[in-house]
Amino acid sequence: MSGGRETAPEGALPVAGPRRTRRAALGLVRRDGRAFAALLALNALAAAAGLAGPWLLGRIVDTVRAGGGTGAVDRLALVLLVCAVAQLLLARYARYVGHRFGERTLDRVRTEFVDRALVLPAAVVERAGTGDLTVRGTTDVATVGRTLRDAAPEVSVAAVQALFLLGAVVLLDPRLGACGLGLLGGWFAVRWYLRRAREAYLAEGAAQSALAELLAATAAGARTVEALGLQERRAAACQEAVERCRRTRLRTLFLRSVLFPAVDVSYMVPVVGVLLTGGALHGSGVVSLGVVVSAALYLRQVYAPMDTVLLWVEQLQSSGAAFARVEGVGAALEAADGTGSGKPGPPRTARRTPQVPSPSPADGHRYGPYGCAGAADRIDVTGVRYAYPGGSGDEVLRGVDLSVRPGERLALVGPSGAGKSTLGRLLAGVDAPSGGAVTVGGVPVAGLAPEVLRRQVVLVTQEHHVFLGTVRDNLLIGAPAAADAELRAALATVGADWAARLPAGLDTELGAGGFRPDGAQSQQLALARVLLADPHTVILDEATALLDPRTARHAERALAAVLAGRTVIAIAHRLHTAHDADRVAVMEAGRLAELGTHDALVAAGGAYATLWHSWHGDSELPSPRA
């Protein structure tokens, strides 16, 4: 990695380059500049107070050798005590200011990360994998937090102290100060380490992300793994990922095993040099014994701050790599929205069109269970082509033309791999087409702001999520202002009768320590959220796949009744859904092969008729998967 460019494997979230990482870190400092300036000032004062000790000890030695009385020694000892107390208080307050600065800055990092992650396009997250994003939002942010809270104050204090101590030796006697050059051995060791540490820690973070992604995928598909007998294969893959983590950690351990011994040796050289040189100079009468003692004590005191800096070097390198990964989410957002700002905003993909005025209810549609859809709700697909980014380049959709009339129920059917789900994602604005246009009311769907888009088009898939919190919390995501009666009505509509039997009703906690909904119940919660969100168009991609046939049939009928007058696009994997639709669109090899009513297409004897008869088992033709 070089310069300020962001790099990442194909499909993964990028990692911010060094230039961008430094710029972001400086930006965090500037946002709390007064506290940072106070931190530096207090550290400087504490270091200055600490310089008095060795100098006063040297004065005491010279006073005693000169035959001074106990009164002079007591006065010097009292000043020494006052300086020590002042250093203690200043250092303590400096750490207090530093910790507060670190916590405020960490809060900004966390908030900005969440803001960015929430507006990342779903396609970007899906290609990167949730494991990588999870590790960046947990492990990496926590690493940055430890550095801001602990390492930054400690290192700033130690660095100022080390500089002041070395300067004091030079002021005592430049010849003795030259012995401090022995610390250069440690400096060369640190340079050797820093040239290699960033890449090593980035590799370690990437290996951890890959392991987390693999473990999450294996756990989520545990039943499939068991059913298909893939346990050994998945275990081997996990073992390989663990081995990669082990190798990357051994690499960072090797770097530390070289750094620390080299630095320890470099500590001893200056002290030995001062004692030998100072002894010779004192024997010649050039310097006093007190000066030699003070110089040796100063260089001996350098050990502590230098040790502090070196002990945190690993944390600083690990944190630098972690911060580069956290800041990489901003780079991903820049690539998505095309603004170059990295600031949270309406998500875009690289090929999306600029945002334009969005349709509003006044344009022709009215929301509500029995709302009427108008011209502003018409969805048009014109010459749409699509190829997955980073794929082989083959187009999944090839010149699709389709108009969805407001208020109709359209079923998308076809064999597996025909492009049904991909077209559904384009209709929902999740992805942008490679060519052609998808519009709602004449406005490109890809150009709508998220808050406008989700009020108009919602995609419901078989993937669902139950958020930690109560049943009410989960439902209010769809309609924050909904009353309890509306929430119960939505649950009843999707057949979630179990919700009424919960011990605390809508206040029942879901997840660990509370009620754990199964797959069907989780899907019902997702469908209830859609009803509460009240969009004019709903795209169902196998949305009822996890419900048993009786419940699924009931939920589909309920949805059809509630969504009367609205547009419903159902990606039909069960052909009874197509039977109930106003029109059926048949996809084959990325093209729209047929379009018409169920009866008309069955009578035509084409691709849909083949699918229908195969699904009913009354055809000898091979059975394509619906």
Side-chain angles (χ1 to χ4, degrees):
M1 185 183 302
S2 62
R5 293 180 298 174
E6 283 73 44
T7 60
E10 190 66 51
L13 292 172
V15 175
R19 187 179 301 117
R20 179 194 178 101
T21 304
R22 287 193 297 269
R23 188 168 63 246
L26 289 175
L28 289 173
V29 171
R30 283 194 295 268
R31 291 168 70 177
D32 204 356
R34 289 186 178 181
F36 188 75
L39 173 64
L40 294 180
L42 288 168
N43 288 332
L45 292 173
L51 294 177
W55 181 79
L56 288 169
L57 284 174
R59 288 291 305 274
I60 291 173
V61 170
D62 288 340
T63 300
V64 172
R65 285 180 59 84
T70 57
V73 173
D74 288 342
R75 286 192 295 271
L76 290 173
L78 180 60
V79 175
L80 177 60
L81 177 61
V82 171
C83 290
V85 172
Q87 181 188 19
L88 175 65
L89 294 176
L90 288 169
R92 183 181 183 281
Y93 192 62
R95 284 178 172 80
Y96 171 76
V97 172
H99 284 302
R100 286 179 62 86
F101 166 79
E103 290 295 342
R104 285 193 299 270
T105 306
L106 175 59
D107 178 67
R108 294 188 182 99
V109 172
R110 283 174 172 160
T111 301
E112 192 165 83
F113 178 87
V114 171
D115 289 343
R116 287 171 168 176
L118 288 177
V119 296
L120 275 177
V124 173
V125 177
E126 289 174 0
R127 286 194 295 271
T130 56
D132 188 16
L133 191 62
T134 300
V135 170
R136 294 186 190 220
T138 54
T139 303
D140 290 336
V141 170
T143 300
V144 174
R146 286 195 300 272
T147 300
L148 291 172
R149 184 181 60 250
D150 301 322
E154 296 286 343
V155 170
S156 62
V157 171
V160 173
Q161 286 178 343
L163 290 175
F164 276 39
L165 289 168
L166 292 174
V169 178
V170 174
L171 290 176
L172 281 174
D173 190 284
R175 289 163 295 187
L176 297 179
C179 295
L181 295 176
L183 294 171
L184 289 177
W187 180 75
F188 286 120
V190 171
R191 278 183 57 86
W192 176 89
Y193 174 81
L194 293 180
R195 283 197 299 267
R196 295 161 176 80
R198 176 181 168 84
E199 294 298 329
Y201 279 106
L202 285 175
E204 184 177 333
Q208 289 176 344
S209 292
L211 176 60
E213 178 69 22
L214 184 59
L215 291 175
T218 302
R223 293 184 178 179
T224 302
V225 170
E226 183 178 3
L228 299 179
L230 301 176
Q231 294 94 326
E232 292 185 3
R233 185 181 302 178
R234 298 301 293 182
C238 290
Q239 183 61 40
E240 183 179 349
V242 170
E243 177 61 23
R244 284 197 298 270
C245 285
R246 188 187 71 86
R247 289 197 301 267
T248 57
R249 293 203 174 200
L250 285 177
R251 172 62 176 168
T252 57
L253 177 61
F254 165 74
L255 295 179
R256 296 192 296 274
S257 69
V258 173
L259 172 67
F260 291 126
V263 170
D264 286 340
V265 171
S266 73
Y267 284 164
M268 301 301 300
V269 174
V271 177
V272 172
V274 163
L275 293 176
L276 293 177
T277 305
L281 293 175
H282 175 64
S284 302
V286 178
V287 297
S288 67
L289 180 59
V291 170
V292 176
V293 170
S294 296
L297 288 174
Y298 278 135
L299 289 176
R300 182 65 183 83
Q301 283 189 356
V302 171
Y303 286 21
M306 291 296 291
D307 262 343
T308 299
V309 172
L310 290 172
L311 286 173
W312 284 110
V313 161
E314 177 192 357
Q315 178 70 24
L316 290 172
Q317 289 303 302
S318 176
S319 178
F323 189 51
R325 286 164 50 79
V326 171
E327 192 62 24
V329 177
L333 186 59
E334 287 181 9
D337 65 19
T339 65
S341 67
K343 299 295 180 64
R348 298 284 182 269
T349 60
R351 293 184 294 273
R352 288 192 174 194
T353 57
Q355 188 172 337
V356 294
S358 304
S360 65
D363 291 327
H365 73 262
R366 186 172 75 245
Y367 293 99
Y370 302 101
C372 299
D377 299 337
R378 181 185 178 93
I379 297 178
D380 292 298
V381 179
T382 308
V384 162
R385 297 179 175 276
Y386 184 79
Y388 287 111
S392 61
D394 296 337
E395 290 185 329
V396 182
L397 298 178
R398 303 176 179 86
V400 176
D401 293 289
L402 176 66
S403 291
V404 184
R405 297 189 294 263
E408 81 168 320
R409 186 181 180 100
L410 176 73
L412 285 175
V413 303
S416 179
K420 306 184 298 297
S421 295
T422 301
L423 180 57
R425 291 169 63 86
L426 297 185
L427 291 169
V430 176
D431 289 318
S434 307
V438 179
T439 62
V440 55
V443 178
V445 173
L448 295 175
E451 63 274 9
V452 176
L453 175 62
R454 298 313 170 215
R455 288 200 305 268
Q456 303 219 359
V457 183
V458 169
L459 172 65
V460 183
T461 70
Q462 61 179 325
E463 299 175 359
H464 49 269
H465 186 74
V466 175
F467 298 91
L468 291 178
T470 64
V471 176
R472 179 185 287 103
D473 295 334
N474 273 263
L475 296 178
L476 289 179
I477 294 172
D484 285 0
E486 296 175 87
L487 303 184
R488 295 189 180 94
L491 290 170
T493 299
V494 298
D497 302 327
W498 52 269
R501 298 189 295 270
L502 293 175
L506 294 176
D507 293 317
T508 302
E509 292 286 339
L510 301 179
F515 177 76
R516 292 178 178 270
D518 58 26
Q521 292 166 336
S522 299
Q523 188 65 280
Q524 288 172 326
L525 284 174
L527 292 175
R529 280 198 294 263
V530 172
L531 295 179
L532 290 165
D534 211 14
H536 73 67
T537 297
V538 177
I539 301 172
L540 304 173
D541 186 359
E542 206 172 0
T544 58
L546 295 179
L547 305 181
D548 60 81
R550 180 178 178 181
T551 305
R553 185 71 169 170
H554 172 74
E556 288 166 359
R557 287 175 175 168
L559 280 172
V562 172
L563 297 178
R566 302 187 187 187
T567 307
V568 179
I569 302 173
I571 300 172
H573 300 264
R574 302 173 182 176
L575 290 189
H576 65 71
T577 303
H579 180 273
D580 296 337
D582 299 324
R583 287 192 301 164
V584 180
V586 184
M587 298 291 298
E588 276 194 337
R591 301 181 185 276
L592 184 61
E594 293 181 315
L595 180 64
T597 64
H598 165 79
D599 293 336
L601 293 180
V602 170
Y608 179 75
T610 301
L611 286 172
W612 179 257
H613 293 304
S614 298
W615 188 66
H616 279 277
D618 55 358
S619 171
E620 296 181 359
L621 295 174
S623 299
R625 293 177 59 191

